[in-house]
Amino acid sequence: MATTRLTGDFAEICDCYTICPCWADDTPDENHCNAVYVWTFDERSMVEDHDVGGRSFAAASFHGVGRGSQSVLFADVALPSAAQRALIAAFSAGEGTTLGEVSKMLGTVVSSGAAAITRRRSGGEWEILVEAQGIRLAYAKGKPAHMDGRIDPMTLHDSALHHELGLVGPAVVQEMDRFEAAVSPLPGGPVAYAGRAGMVARFNYSNRRRE
Protein backbone atom coordinates (compact mmCIF):
# COMPACT_ATOMS: atom_id res chain seq x y z
CA MET A 1 0.00 0.00 0.00
CA ALA A 2 1.57 3.28 -1.13
CA THR A 3 1.88 6.00 1.49
CA THR A 4 0.47 9.50 1.14
CA ARG A 5 1.34 11.70 4.12
CA LEU A 6 1.16 15.43 3.41
CA THR A 7 1.49 18.20 5.99
CA GLY A 8 2.61 21.80 5.70
CA ASP A 9 1.57 25.40 5.07
CA PHE A 10 -1.40 26.44 2.95
CA ALA A 11 -2.09 29.85 1.40
CA GLU A 12 -5.25 31.03 -0.36
CA ILE A 13 -5.41 34.28 -2.31
CA CYS A 14 -8.48 35.45 -4.23
CA ASP A 15 -10.19 38.50 -5.66
CA CYS A 16 -12.99 38.59 -3.11
CA TYR A 17 -12.97 41.38 -0.53
CA THR A 18 -11.50 41.13 3.01
CA ILE A 19 -12.34 37.44 3.63
CA CYS A 20 -13.53 35.13 0.88
CA PRO A 21 -17.17 34.13 1.60
CA CYS A 22 -16.27 30.51 0.72
CA TRP A 23 -14.79 30.24 4.22
CA ALA A 24 -18.35 30.66 5.52
CA ASP A 25 -19.84 28.39 2.81
CA ASP A 26 -21.37 31.44 1.14
CA THR A 27 -21.54 32.83 -2.41
CA PRO A 28 -18.36 34.55 -3.70
CA ASP A 29 -18.33 38.31 -4.05
CA GLU A 30 -19.71 39.33 -7.47
CA ASN A 31 -20.88 35.69 -7.90
CA HIS A 32 -17.45 34.49 -9.01
CA CYS A 33 -13.97 34.06 -7.58
CA ASN A 34 -10.50 33.89 -9.13
CA ALA A 35 -8.15 32.22 -6.68
CA VAL A 36 -4.67 30.79 -6.29
CA TYR A 37 -3.93 28.09 -3.71
CA VAL A 38 -0.44 27.01 -2.67
CA TRP A 39 0.52 24.02 -0.52
CA THR A 40 4.12 23.96 0.78
CA PHE A 41 5.05 20.54 2.15
CA ASP A 42 6.91 19.79 5.37
CA GLU A 43 10.03 17.67 5.25
CA ARG A 44 9.24 13.93 5.08
CA SER A 45 5.94 14.54 3.26
CA MET A 46 5.10 11.72 0.85
CA VAL A 47 2.66 11.18 -2.01
CA GLU A 48 2.29 7.61 -3.22
CA ASP A 49 5.73 6.84 -1.70
CA HIS A 50 7.38 9.81 -3.49
CA ASP A 51 9.27 12.25 -1.28
CA VAL A 52 7.91 15.79 -1.81
CA GLY A 53 9.26 17.36 1.40
CA GLY A 54 10.22 21.01 1.12
CA ARG A 55 8.48 21.42 -2.25
CA SER A 56 5.16 23.00 -3.27
CA PHE A 57 1.98 22.47 -5.26
CA ALA A 58 -0.25 25.23 -6.66
CA ALA A 59 -3.69 25.54 -8.19
CA ALA A 60 -5.24 28.47 -10.04
CA SER A 61 -9.03 28.25 -9.90
CA PHE A 62 -12.17 29.94 -11.14
CA HIS A 63 -15.39 29.47 -9.15
CA GLY A 64 -18.64 30.82 -10.59
CA VAL A 65 -22.21 30.57 -9.35
CA GLY A 66 -23.99 28.15 -11.66
CA ARG A 67 -20.72 27.41 -13.49
CA GLY A 68 -18.95 25.16 -10.99
CA SER A 69 -15.20 25.21 -10.44
CA GLN A 70 -12.36 24.89 -12.93
CA SER A 71 -8.68 24.65 -12.06
CA VAL A 72 -5.19 24.48 -13.51
CA LEU A 73 -2.74 22.48 -11.38
CA PHE A 74 1.01 23.02 -11.03
CA ALA A 75 3.50 20.63 -9.45
CA ASP A 76 6.86 21.97 -8.33
CA VAL A 77 9.27 21.79 -11.28
CA ALA A 78 12.09 20.90 -8.85
CA LEU A 79 10.46 17.50 -8.19
CA PRO A 80 11.18 14.38 -10.26
CA SER A 81 8.61 13.87 -13.01
CA ALA A 82 7.15 10.80 -11.28
CA ALA A 83 6.51 12.81 -8.10
CA GLN A 84 4.95 15.62 -10.16
CA ARG A 85 2.56 13.16 -11.78
CA ALA A 86 1.70 11.60 -8.42
CA LEU A 87 0.86 15.00 -6.90
CA ILE A 88 -1.30 16.03 -9.85
CA ALA A 89 -3.11 12.69 -9.69
CA ALA A 90 -3.67 13.01 -5.93
CA PHE A 91 -5.11 16.52 -6.18
CA SER A 92 -7.44 15.61 -9.05
CA ALA A 93 -8.47 12.04 -8.20
CA GLY A 94 -12.02 12.86 -7.02
CA GLU A 95 -14.21 11.86 -4.11
CA GLY A 96 -13.37 8.83 -2.00
CA THR A 97 -9.61 9.25 -2.44
CA THR A 98 -6.87 10.61 -0.19
CA LEU A 99 -7.52 14.25 -1.14
CA GLY A 100 -11.12 13.75 -2.23
CA GLU A 101 -12.57 16.87 -0.59
CA VAL A 102 -9.75 19.02 -1.97
CA SER A 103 -10.18 17.74 -5.53
CA LYS A 104 -13.96 18.22 -5.25
CA MET A 105 -13.41 21.88 -4.38
CA LEU A 106 -10.95 22.34 -7.27
CA GLY A 107 -13.57 20.98 -9.68
CA THR A 108 -12.79 20.25 -13.31
CA VAL A 109 -9.06 20.20 -14.04
CA VAL A 110 -8.64 21.89 -17.42
CA SER A 111 -4.85 21.69 -17.52
CA SER A 112 -1.85 20.64 -15.44
CA GLY A 113 1.91 20.82 -15.58
CA ALA A 114 5.10 21.86 -13.82
CA ALA A 115 6.00 25.33 -12.55
CA ALA A 116 8.59 27.02 -10.38
CA ILE A 117 6.78 27.80 -7.11
CA THR A 118 8.56 30.19 -4.76
CA ARG A 119 7.38 31.17 -1.29
CA ARG A 120 9.42 33.81 0.56
CA ARG A 121 9.05 35.20 4.08
CA SER A 122 10.59 38.38 5.48
CA GLY A 123 9.52 39.33 8.97
CA GLY A 124 5.73 39.19 9.00
CA GLU A 125 5.42 39.65 5.23
CA TRP A 126 5.40 36.93 2.57
CA GLU A 127 5.45 36.57 -1.20
CA ILE A 128 4.39 33.75 -3.53
CA LEU A 129 5.46 33.49 -7.17
CA VAL A 130 4.39 30.83 -9.69
CA GLU A 131 6.25 30.80 -13.02
CA ALA A 132 6.42 28.41 -15.98
CA GLN A 133 8.75 28.70 -18.96
CA GLY A 134 9.61 32.27 -18.02
CA ILE A 135 5.97 33.37 -17.78
CA ARG A 136 4.64 34.76 -14.50
CA LEU A 137 1.39 32.92 -13.84
CA ALA A 138 0.63 34.17 -10.33
CA TYR A 139 2.08 36.54 -7.76
CA ALA A 140 0.88 37.50 -4.30
CA LYS A 141 2.24 39.58 -1.47
CA GLY A 142 0.66 39.92 1.94
CA LYS A 143 0.95 39.98 5.71
CA PRO A 144 -1.23 39.01 8.68
CA ALA A 145 -4.18 41.35 9.24
CA HIS A 146 -4.54 42.97 12.66
CA MET A 147 -7.69 44.59 13.99
CA ASP A 148 -7.51 47.87 15.94
CA GLY A 149 -3.77 47.58 16.53
CA ARG A 150 -4.01 44.28 18.39
CA ILE A 151 -0.87 42.16 18.66
CA ASP A 152 -2.46 38.90 17.51
CA PRO A 153 -3.80 38.71 13.92
CA MET A 154 -7.40 37.92 13.06
CA THR A 155 -8.15 34.19 12.69
CA LEU A 156 -10.91 31.81 11.67
CA HIS A 157 -11.60 28.44 13.31
CA ASP A 158 -13.72 25.48 12.20
CA SER A 159 -14.76 27.15 8.93
CA ALA A 160 -16.25 25.47 5.86
CA LEU A 161 -12.85 25.42 4.14
CA HIS A 162 -11.21 23.90 7.22
CA HIS A 163 -13.27 20.80 6.44
CA GLU A 164 -12.97 20.90 2.65
CA LEU A 165 -9.22 21.58 2.64
CA GLY A 166 -8.17 19.47 5.60
CA LEU A 167 -6.87 22.48 7.53
CA VAL A 168 -5.82 22.27 11.18
CA GLY A 169 -5.63 25.05 13.75
CA PRO A 170 -6.43 28.69 13.08
CA ALA A 171 -6.57 30.18 9.59
CA VAL A 172 -4.90 33.59 9.73
CA VAL A 173 -6.57 36.44 7.83
CA GLN A 174 -4.14 38.23 5.49
CA GLU A 175 -3.86 41.82 4.34
CA MET A 176 -3.05 41.53 0.65
CA ASP A 177 -0.74 44.14 -0.88
CA ARG A 178 -0.87 42.54 -4.33
CA PHE A 179 -2.55 39.68 -6.17
CA GLU A 180 -1.93 38.89 -9.84
CA ALA A 181 -2.98 35.85 -11.86
CA ALA A 182 -2.87 35.16 -15.59
CA VAL A 183 -3.69 31.52 -16.38
CA SER A 184 -5.12 31.42 -19.90
CA PRO A 185 -7.23 28.21 -19.81
CA LEU A 186 -9.44 29.65 -17.05
CA PRO A 187 -12.43 32.00 -17.49
CA GLY A 188 -12.22 35.53 -16.16
CA GLY A 189 -8.97 36.64 -17.78
CA PRO A 190 -5.92 38.11 -16.04
CA VAL A 191 -6.46 39.78 -12.66
CA ALA A 192 -4.37 42.35 -10.80
CA TYR A 193 -5.58 43.71 -7.48
CA ALA A 194 -4.52 45.25 -4.20
CA GLY A 195 -6.38 44.89 -0.92
CA ARG A 196 -8.23 41.65 -1.65
CA ALA A 197 -8.63 38.41 0.34
CA GLY A 198 -5.99 36.01 1.64
CA MET A 199 -5.69 33.29 4.27
CA VAL A 200 -2.82 31.20 5.63
CA ALA A 201 -3.18 27.96 7.61
CA ARG A 202 -1.69 24.52 8.26
CA PHE A 203 -2.91 21.39 6.46
CA ASN A 204 -2.72 17.70 7.30
CA TYR A 205 -3.70 14.91 4.95
CA SER A 206 -1.75 12.22 6.78
CA ASN A 207 -4.92 10.65 8.16
CA ARG A 208 -6.57 10.41 4.73
CA ARG A 209 -4.57 7.53 3.29
CA ARG A 210 -6.15 5.46 0.54
CA GLU A 211 -6.74 1.88 1.64
Side-chain angles (χ1 to χ4, degrees):
M1 179 176 61
T3 298
T4 294
R5 182 180 63 248
L6 299 170
T7 63
D9 295 317
F10 169 79
E12 177 248 20
I13 312 100
C14 77
D15 59 357
C16 291
Y17 296 93
T18 312
I19 298 174
C20 178
C22 293
W23 289 85
D25 199 24
D26 205 350
T27 302
D29 293 343
E30 301 172 346
N31 291 323
H32 69 271
C33 177
N34 292 284
V36 171
Y37 309 105
V38 176
W39 294 260
T40 301
F41 304 115
D42 290 338
E43 296 297 334
R44 296 186 295 279
S45 286
M46 306 282 290
V47 60
E48 295 293 309
D49 288 340
H50 297 281
D51 182 2
V52 295
R55 300 304 180 185
S56 297
F57 188 85
S61 296
F62 174 85
H63 309 274
V65 174
R67 301 175 66 181
S69 300
Q70 301 173 58
S71 296
V72 178
L73 308 183
F74 301 101
D76 198 320
V77 71
L79 287 167
S81 57
Q84 293 177 19
R85 290 193 298 270
L87 273 174
I88 290 169
F91 275 84
S92 58
E95 294 185 64
T97 59
T98 306
L99 278 77
E101 289 298 314
V102 178
S103 62
K104 179 181 177 182
M105 187 203 70
L106 294 174
T108 301
V109 176
V110 298
S111 181
S112 63
I117 305 169
T118 305
R119 190 169 182 168
R120 305 185 187 95
R121 295 181 179 88
S122 178
E125 297 186 351
W126 55 266
E127 290 181 285
I128 287 174
L129 177 63
V130 182
E131 295 180 296
Q133 299 179 339
I135 299 172
R136 184 151 101 166
L137 302 172
Y139 172 77
K141 182 179 181 181
K143 55 184 176 291
H146 296 261
M147 183 174 63
D148 298 331
R150 296 181 182 178
I151 295 175
D152 294 328
M154 291 185 286
T155 58
L156 292 180
H157 299 258
D158 199 30
S159 71
L161 291 192
H162 272 81
H163 295 274
E164 292 180 18
L165 292 168
L167 305 180
V168 293
V172 181
V173 181
Q174 303 295 302
E175 179 183 337
M176 298 307 303
D177 296 327
R178 191 69 180 167
F179 171 44
E180 302 172 10
V183 182
S184 57
L186 296 177
V191 298
Y193 297 111
R196 295 302 175 99
M199 302 290 286
V200 170
R202 294 281 297 171
F203 66 87
N204 185 341
Y205 307 133
S206 62
N207 62 343
R208 299 185 177 192
R209 292 172 58 181
R210 185 165 71 243
E211 300 296 334

